[in-house]
Amino acid sequence: MNRHRLLFLVFPLMAGWGSSAALRAGEPMQLATATSRSVPGSLEAASSRIPDEEAEKARRYLGYIKVRPEAEALHRAVKEGRTYTIDLLLKAGVSVDARDEKGRTPLMLAALNGATTLADHLVKKGAALDAVDPLGTTALMLAVENEDDRIARQLIAAGAALDLADQSGRRALHRAILQEHPEIEAALLNSGSKPIMPGESEAPLTLALRSGKRELIQPLLAHGAPPVDWQAETTALFWKAYAAQDDALQDLLQQSHAQPPVLAGSDQPLLAEAVLWRDPQLIGRLIEWGGDPETQLKIPASQRFIETTGQPDLKFYLEEEQGMNVLMLAAGLGCGEGVAALLKGGANPLARTDHYKMVALSFAGRTGTPECERLLLGLPVEPAHDEITIRISLKLQQATISQWGEIPIHTSISTGRDEFPTPLGRYVISDKHRVKVSSIYDVPMPFFMRLSGRDFGLHEGYVPGYAASHGCIRVPEEMAQKLFRMAKVGTYVTIDE
């Protein structure tokens, strides 16, 4: 017969003796209730002695099972998951927050070991939720680092401090992101963890962006995380998303930053580069993200930027003309889609450069893109049915006015002579003046209709039957007046051989 069984067999005899000394010498812990009832005196006296007697009995029973009532035994019991032994040790006076050699409490050890039931038991026994080890680590941080969703949620529900930081400045939220555990991250944020704390050396959003995981970035933005600065990793991620046409990720990355990303090696704003790439989608997105549709270029531009335009006429302006903006650049490139995107975003087509006072229409006129000019004039690219079109033949010295459903009208004209040839191309009437005097030759040019903002146009004048002008297109008096009434700003004019 073993020792424990013998003790239970002799219990009736011991209870009858009434000797407290005998009880202290041999009773097991299970005798606590019987002993407390046998102690004479008032209820208050009995009550005041119960804790000491409980501790005494717990110590004696620990002795029977060869466990010393000390912190080391408690830590061992926690690691082995022996709840009953833990309770005995706590009754025997061992602190529920006793530290091991690494400065960790039993609750921390339970969190490290993933012991959900044991962690809950220790919390109920009064374990300090926010005790820290020498590195400033809490049980909640360890649970998160251990990717133990259940214990983390237990500690959060029990009221553990969410935003304590360890010596490295990292909180439980940082750990959830580093472990790429969006469920714990969301639980922390939903329970009140701050998306950023004053003076933090590294914002949680920066870590989430570095991971490139949308599921880690989105909860922080949803809880009001402020924008951060672009880092090399996140800039690379943006351009990777751009190359993959991943619009959703581009949007998410831009929401996370106050400014658009930079392009390595560029001296111009990203919006200017998007115009140079003739990418209307990126232009539109940059404006949606807060970009200024009238962003000015940095002048002088780099040689790389100038050469990439492929437009020799732009070289002078990109080198010297301050105040040139992205709309002017798009017009100068003949990029109709870019012009349309910028105008849709609110760009002002009447903005002028600093020195030569040029508008976007002036640049479009130099590239021979009347479609851009129509857009800049607020007109659709395709003319309406009631609009006329004008075709000039240098060889025939004749103009043909066509209108949908109408018989074409022909008239004789006089274009530029050999020394001052009328340039070929497709234009639009950019402005009309009933009375005009040439600023170069100081001669009247009634019913003047300028072409594409250039220094020539159609007007009333002498028509000898051959090319005789200084580059303009002279039209007989009556026809000039009629044409002036019929033509509108934006009317297409084609000049060919």
Side-chain angles (χ1 to χ4, degrees):
M1 184 179 299
N2 63 40
R3 181 178 181 184
H4 290 178
R5 184 169 178 79
L6 177 60
L7 286 170
F8 283 110
L9 289 174
V10 302
F11 169 66
L13 294 174
M14 295 173 66
W17 292 344
S19 168
S20 61
L23 288 171
R24 286 193 295 273
E27 67 183 351
M29 192 183 71
Q30 288 87 339
L31 301 182
T33 302
T35 304
S36 64
R37 288 174 182 170
S38 67
V39 175
S42 67
L43 289 175
E44 290 81 0
S47 174
S48 67
R49 285 193 292 272
I50 287 173
D52 290 337
E53 292 175 357
E54 289 282 351
E56 183 70 19
K57 292 185 179 88
R59 283 193 288 271
R60 285 204 302 274
Y61 193 72
L62 287 168
Y64 300 150
I65 60 176
K66 301 186 183 304
V67 174
R68 295 175 63 85
E70 58 190 14
E72 184 180 349
L74 178 59
H75 300 141
R76 187 166 55 252
V78 169
K79 291 176 182 177
E80 295 172 358
R82 291 186 282 117
T83 305
Y84 188 64
T85 302
I86 292 169
D87 285 347
L88 284 174
L89 288 164
L90 296 180
K91 287 180 180 179
V94 180
S95 171
V96 70
D97 296 317
R99 309 275 181 162
D100 66 5
E101 68 280 1
K102 293 182 179 180
R104 291 173 173 171
T105 67
L107 184 57
M108 293 179 191
L109 295 176
L112 270 175
N113 294 333
T116 309
T117 302
L118 186 54
D120 183 57
H121 188 71
L122 289 166
V123 170
K124 290 176 179 177
K125 290 294 182 181
L129 297 172
D130 302 324
V132 296
D133 68 10
L135 297 178
T137 312
T138 65
L140 177 59
M141 294 177 190
L142 292 170
V144 173
E145 198 166 279
N146 202 32
E147 299 186 60
D148 197 312
D149 183 70
R150 296 171 304 167
I151 294 181
R153 290 180 186 276
Q154 280 180 349
L155 295 170
I156 292 171
L162 304 178
D163 291 324
L164 291 177
D166 62 14
Q167 288 185 355
S168 68
R170 287 178 172 168
R171 300 179 278 138
L173 185 60
H174 290 86
R175 285 171 160 77
I177 296 167
L178 287 169
Q179 296 300 119
E180 297 188 359
H181 204 314
E183 292 81 8
I184 296 181
E185 177 196 26
L188 288 164
L189 290 167
N190 291 337
S191 299
S193 183
K194 304 296 183 186
I196 190 162
M197 295 290 287
E200 274 188 325
S201 59
E202 189 165 42
L205 182 56
T206 299
L207 290 179
L209 288 165
R210 198 171 294 154
S211 75
K213 304 286 185 181
R214 304 177 202 213
E215 59 271 25
L216 295 174
I217 301 169
Q218 287 168 331
L220 290 163
L221 294 176
H223 283 82
V228 296
D229 294 329
W230 287 96
Q231 304 294 325
E233 300 93 334
T234 49
T235 301
L237 184 62
F238 178 88
W239 291 117
K240 183 177 179 181
Y242 173 75
Q245 298 183 343
D246 189 339
D247 295 344
L249 182 54
Q250 289 179 67
D251 283 339
L252 193 61
L253 290 169
Q254 184 53 46
Q255 290 173 39
S256 305
H257 299 84
Q259 302 293 332
V262 296
L263 180 66
S266 173
D267 63 335
Q268 298 293 343
L270 183 57
L271 188 55
E273 295 287 354
V275 171
L276 186 62
W277 300 338
R278 296 168 173 81
D279 187 338
Q281 185 175 7
L282 182 57
I283 293 169
R285 297 181 79 80
L286 288 168
I287 293 173
E288 286 176 10
W289 296 335
D292 183 359
E294 295 181 33
T295 296
Q296 293 194 358
L297 279 63
K298 293 181 180 178
I299 305 295
S302 68
Q303 196 61 35
R304 187 272 313 173
F305 191 87
I306 294 172
E307 290 176 356
T308 305
T309 67
Q311 296 287 345
D313 287 347
L314 284 177
K315 185 175 186 297
F316 170 80
Y317 301 103
L318 289 172
E319 288 179 341
E320 298 189 22
E321 184 67 348
Q322 298 294 331
M324 186 175 178
N325 64 28
V326 288
L327 181 61
M328 298 170 188
L329 176 64
L333 293 172
C335 180
E337 290 183 323
V339 167
L342 290 164
L343 291 172
K344 182 180 178 181
N348 178 13
L350 299 180
R352 296 179 177 274
T353 61
D354 292 354
H355 183 66
Y356 291 102
K357 307 301 179 186
M358 295 178 67
V359 296
L361 188 65
S362 307
F363 289 96
R366 282 163 170 71
T367 58
T369 52
E371 296 81 8
C372 287
E373 297 172 63
R374 293 266 301 186
L375 291 171
L376 290 165
L377 290 167
L379 299 170
V381 171
E382 293 298 326
H385 289 324
D386 62 346
E387 288 188 58
I388 66 168
T389 58
I390 303 171
R391 182 173 291 276
I392 306 295
S393 172
L394 300 183
K395 181 178 180 180
L396 299 177
Q397 289 293 290
Q398 177 179 275
T400 301
I401 300 99
S402 302
Q403 189 174 16
W404 182 266
E406 300 290 337
I407 297 174
I409 299 173
H410 303 285
T411 181
S412 58
I413 57 172
S414 180
T415 60
R417 56 183 184 263
D418 291 344
E419 310 95 279
F420 306 100
T422 300
L424 303 175
R426 193 163 180 241
Y427 307 90
V428 297
I429 294 175
S430 56
D431 50 280
K432 298 167 59 178
H433 305 273
R434 185 178 293 273
V435 177
K436 174 149 180 82
V437 176
S438 170
S439 59
I440 300 175
Y441 303 106
D442 194 28
V443 295
M445 298 186 297
F447 302 103
F448 182 76
M449 292 167 279
R450 187 185 305 279
L451 297 182
S452 295
R454 304 282 291 273
D455 55 0
F456 72 103
L458 297 96
H459 62 83
E460 177 191 320
Y462 174 60
V463 179
Y466 53 86
S469 77
H470 284 79
C472 283
I473 301 151
R474 299 179 189 169
V475 183
E477 178 181 359
E478 184 177 347
M479 180 55 68
Q481 296 177 21
K482 182 177 182 179
L483 186 58
F484 191 86
R485 292 193 299 270
M486 294 176 68
K488 301 176 181 178
V489 170
T491 293
Y492 279 118
V493 178
T494 302
I495 301 176
D496 54 27
E497 291 288 352

